[in-house]
Amino acid sequence: MSIDENENNRLRAERLRKLKSLQEEGVNPYPYAFGRTHKAEQLQKIYEGLAPGEETQDVVKVCGRIMNERNTWMFVDLYDESGKIQLFCHKENLSEQDLKRLRLCDKGDFLGATGTIRRTKQGELSVKVNSYDILTKSLQPLPDSWQGFTDVEARYRHRYVDMIINPEVRETFRKRSLVIKAIRDFLDNRGFFEIETPVLQVEAGGADARPFITHHNALGIDLYLRIATELHLKRLIVGGFERVYELGRIFRNEGISTRHNPEFTMLELYAAYGDYNELMDFTEEMLVCAHDAICSGMPVVFEGKEINFARPWKRLRMVDAIKGVTGVDFTNITTYEDAKVAALKLGVEVKDLENRGAIVNEVFEALVEHTLLHPTFIIDYPVEVSPLTKAHRKNTGEVERFELFALGRELANGYSELNDPLDQRKRLEEQARKKAAGDLEAMPMDQDFLLALEYGMPPTMGLGVGIDRLVMLLTNSISIRDVIAFPTMKPLVQETKEGRQETRL
RNA sequence: GGGUCAUUAGCUCAAUGGUAGAGCAGUUGCCUCUUAAGCAAUUGGUUGGAGGUUCGAAUCCUCCAUGACCCA
């Protein structure tokens, strides 16, 4: 609907009529401020012991959004961020003009009220209103609060309405904020510095993913939005920082699903002088801390399934995890051809995979990943799928890498970082070869990163955590869109007579 | 990319080829210590868009748009 069409909307027209009436009476429907004395929740707490029918002479000022009205505006449910407080508007305390003017309000308007505290006979704590101010006139009708607002598309497109009507939505984003704060506090308390690295990059490296491309006019060059922060955070370790992290937005030009949004939030941290064994302990501690921030002492229950967060978490070699589920032991399958045969026998498609390690990884993803309900570290990945990870100290063909799974989903990815500059160069050359051969997700050569490694990066452990997926797990959210306030949506377009496309709401 | 389903009033939903409806919201009035307040009356629609079949289409067909779920 465009604004013009909306002029004809009768519900909006009704509100515009009321707005005009208020203005004609000299009332400013959009004043500048209101001096509140208490939030709703505070009052509920302070007057918890007040018996039904009792009242006090305590004068308070409250404000919030009108969500319901009963008995021709005698009772008004006012909601602020903390909760609900009822207003009691009786003719004993308000002039006839004030009572009449109150009827120019609508559900959705913001109101400030001054009055005394009384608990009604029915037991509802109320502010007995002596005077009120209209703080904002709302022109749009709210969805029915009893039937709810359930249209998924409309909820995402107009998230603010979703938040007004569905309180649990606001609660999810409050929890998200607390999780992120807990993680930052955890890291800050352990000597980490958060350093911001470039979003716009000449080469998008550090992960296997297709980047977004954009253009810098003054330089006349294309730039990519980052798909990871890894290569720059490692440069900081080279530069002398020993503990760094960045918790920020990552962009990947891939499909949209219940688990993928083109922009999402990732934590990456790097700490010098540690390896992946130490990093697993660290990861457990940090995520338990994040969990405690919003559901301390409570088990995580996701769709009826209880997730056991108790430490220590299971650590399982990838080949052993595959053996456990399928009975096939890939330690004895050393050639590409044999691996291909074994995978096909298990019903796993391998047609685009060009080496043994990629096949092992594919078998794991296809058959094992979804079975990992409780937090589990899968360790010791094939070298071919881990171009930035240090070779395993004992096992040939493997690297010192883990991924953390819970509820069948990848939550985190960590490793002993590859700091041998010559080995790293070889690995990136292999990636460049794949890219040249048409693999859109292969990493580009980042010569400056290789140069940095040649100056020397100390032994380092590094971790990436998908914050959105973590919040999904901790808030029992089925879709990533439920934990991203404004998820990416296809714009609605409308063909016009001229063949032009026009955005509508 | 493929499959299945969906899109009707501000919201939640009916109407299976034969006059587009209900509840809530809105408006008007009554009532005045209510909790989804109640009672009465009443307004509100290009049935997502474009074509087609038919005497007749929300309904059947084709295409398009958007979304949800499943699959890759």
Side-chain angles (χ1 to χ4, degrees):
Chain A
M1 250 178 308
S2 74
I3 295 299
D4 281 344
E5 282 170 284
N6 231 343
E7 291 290 349
N8 299 323
N9 179 303
R10 62 180 204 291
L11 295 175
R12 183 169 183 269
E14 207 44 68
R15 288 172 180 239
L16 282 172
R17 180 183 63 77
K18 292 172 183 170
L19 176 76
K20 205 174 157 204
S21 298
L22 288 170
Q23 285 167 328
E24 280 166 3
E25 290 180 32
V27 175
N28 178 4
Y30 301 102
Y32 294 89
F34 183 79
R36 164 165 65 185
T37 62
H38 296 79
K39 289 191 180 183
E41 190 183 29
Q42 275 180 293
L43 291 177
Q44 300 288 1
K45 210 164 200 171
I46 293 169
Y47 296 101
E48 210 172 359
L50 199 67
E54 272 191 73
E55 54 183 291
T56 75
Q57 291 312 303
D58 304 347
V59 175
V60 298
K61 291 167 90 75
V62 293
C63 51
R65 193 189 285 273
I66 298 168
M67 291 304 288
N68 200 8
E69 151 273 323
R70 285 177 294 280
N71 226 341
T72 320
W73 294 94
M74 182 179 277
F75 301 99
V76 177
D77 289 342
L78 205 65
Y79 279 77
D80 62 24
E81 191 184 64
S82 73
K84 172 188 146 182
I85 184 74
Q86 179 174 266
L87 303 183
F88 177 43
C89 305
H90 200 267
K91 52 189 170 191
E92 279 176 23
N93 303 290
L94 287 167
S95 69
E96 199 170 312
Q97 190 195 26
D98 279 342
L99 285 169
K100 203 174 155 201
R101 186 177 289 158
L102 201 52
R103 298 188 63 168
L104 295 173
C105 289
D106 284 292
K107 287 169 195 176
D109 290 358
F110 283 90
L111 201 66
T114 306
T116 53
I117 290 290
R118 166 189 168 81
R119 191 177 290 281
T120 66
K121 284 176 188 165
Q122 298 298 321
E124 187 73 38
L125 189 72
S126 308
V127 173
K128 198 166 162 184
V129 177
N130 296 316
S131 69
Y132 66 86
D133 297 294
I134 291 166
L135 300 182
T136 293
K137 183 74 195 155
S138 162
L139 299 181
Q140 291 288 340
L142 288 173
D144 188 283
S145 58
W146 177 241
Q147 297 293 342
F149 182 50
T150 58
D151 182 278
V152 182
E153 184 184 352
R155 288 181 50 203
Y156 292 144
R157 286 195 192 279
H158 306 290
R159 180 70 94 181
Y160 38 89
V161 180
D162 191 21
M163 288 175 167
I164 294 168
I165 297 297
N166 300 315
E168 71 278 7
V169 175
R170 228 164 38 222
E171 183 59 15
T172 297
F173 291 106
R174 195 182 69 86
K175 284 180 175 171
R176 182 184 172 117
S177 174
L178 292 175
V179 165
I180 288 172
K181 177 173 158 39
I183 289 174
R184 283 210 163 98
D185 287 349
F186 180 91
L187 294 173
D188 294 346
N189 289 335
R190 281 161 184 76
F192 280 80
F193 291 103
E194 183 169 22
I195 312 261
E196 288 153 289
T197 64
V199 171
L200 295 175
Q201 305 183 342
V202 175
E203 297 276 21
D208 304 326
R210 294 181 68 171
F212 282 94
I213 190 163
T214 185
H215 188 75
H216 190 284
N217 292 333
L219 292 179
I221 55 168
D222 284 342
L223 291 170
Y224 299 93
L225 301 190
R226 67 182 178 192
I227 57 172
T229 49
E230 176 154 1
L231 302 184
H232 285 90
L233 287 172
K234 283 181 179 171
R235 284 174 170 90
L236 293 167
I237 300 289
V238 171
F241 281 99
E242 294 186 353
R243 299 191 145 203
V244 291
Y245 74 96
E246 183 169 9
L247 199 165
R249 208 70 59 81
I250 299 294
F251 307 86
R252 295 187 182 173
N253 204 340
E254 292 165 358
I256 296 176
S257 76
T258 48
R259 295 186 197 185
H260 300 88
N261 196 66
E263 55 177 307
F264 62 99
T265 300
M266 188 153 77
L267 164 70
E268 284 197 48
L269 65 88
Y270 294 83
Y273 310 116
D275 64 8
Y276 79 144
N277 291 310
E278 182 184 341
L279 185 58
M280 281 187 268
D281 296 336
F282 185 91
T283 303
E284 279 181 22
E285 203 184 333
M286 182 175 72
L287 295 187
V288 166
C289 174
H291 167 260
D292 288 348
I294 58 171
C295 34
S296 187
M298 298 283 287
V300 173
V301 178
F302 198 97
E303 295 205 289
K305 286 175 278 192
E306 191 169 312
I307 314 297
N308 184 6
F309 257 67
R311 299 178 65 191
W313 297 343
K314 205 189 222 175
R315 297 175 189 189
L316 203 53
R317 284 171 42 76
M318 179 180 270
V319 283
D320 292 337
I322 293 172
K323 192 177 163 191
V325 171
T326 68
V328 177
D329 188 349
F330 272 88
T331 37
N332 303 322
I333 300 172
T334 51
T335 69
Y336 170 57
E337 287 304 326
D338 290 349
K340 211 167 167 179
V341 170
L344 287 171
K345 217 184 270 181
L346 290 168
V348 177
E349 283 272 350
V350 296
K351 58 178 178 213
D352 292 338
L353 306 176
E354 53 173 29
N355 55 63
R356 177 192 169 276
I359 291 172
V360 174
N361 187 58
E362 180 64 26
V363 168
F364 171 79
E365 285 183 4
L367 302 177
V368 183
E369 185 173 322
H370 68 272
T371 68
L372 302 169
L373 179 63
H374 303 299
T376 305
F377 291 107
I378 296 298
I379 66 172
D380 299 346
Y381 277 62
V383 63
E384 297 94 330
V385 296
S386 316
L388 302 170
T389 314
K390 206 168 193 170
H392 197 284
R393 62 194 78 183
K394 287 185 193 144
N395 307 335
T396 314
E398 291 182 359
V399 291
E400 294 201 351
R401 173 181 177 188
F402 67 80
E403 287 192 328
L404 174 66
F405 295 89
L407 212 87
R409 296 158 193 204
E410 180 196 339
L411 273 189
N413 179 19
Y415 26 94
S416 302
E417 299 297 340
L418 176 55
N419 65 339
D420 175 341
L422 301 179
D423 190 0
Q424 182 67 85
R425 183 175 295 276
K426 261 198 315 208
R427 305 254 203 113
L428 286 183
E429 276 166 359
E430 172 60 15
Q431 289 289 315
R433 189 192 61 74
K434 285 169 81 174
K435 200 175 184 69
D439 184 345
L440 294 166
E441 293 188 355
M443 290 185 202
M445 287 290 280
D446 185 333
Q447 296 293 351
D448 182 70
F449 171 65
L450 289 168
L451 181 61
L453 284 191
E454 294 207 359
Y455 278 92
M457 181 175 82
T460 298
M461 60 184 192
L463 179 73
V465 179
I467 297 296
D468 310 276
R469 289 181 183 181
L470 176 65
V471 175
M472 282 171 71
L473 177 72
L474 296 178
T475 58
N476 196 1
S477 299
I478 292 164
S479 170
I480 196 168
R481 293 176 156 191
D482 294 329
V483 301
I484 294 175
F486 302 101
T488 305
M489 300 289 283
K490 203 164 181 175
L492 291 174
V493 289
Q494 207 172 18
E495 294 289 340
T496 63
K497 278 176 192 164
E498 298 78 34
R500 214 156 38 89
Q501 293 197 323
E502 215 169 63
T503 304
R504 65 187 174 89
L505 291 176

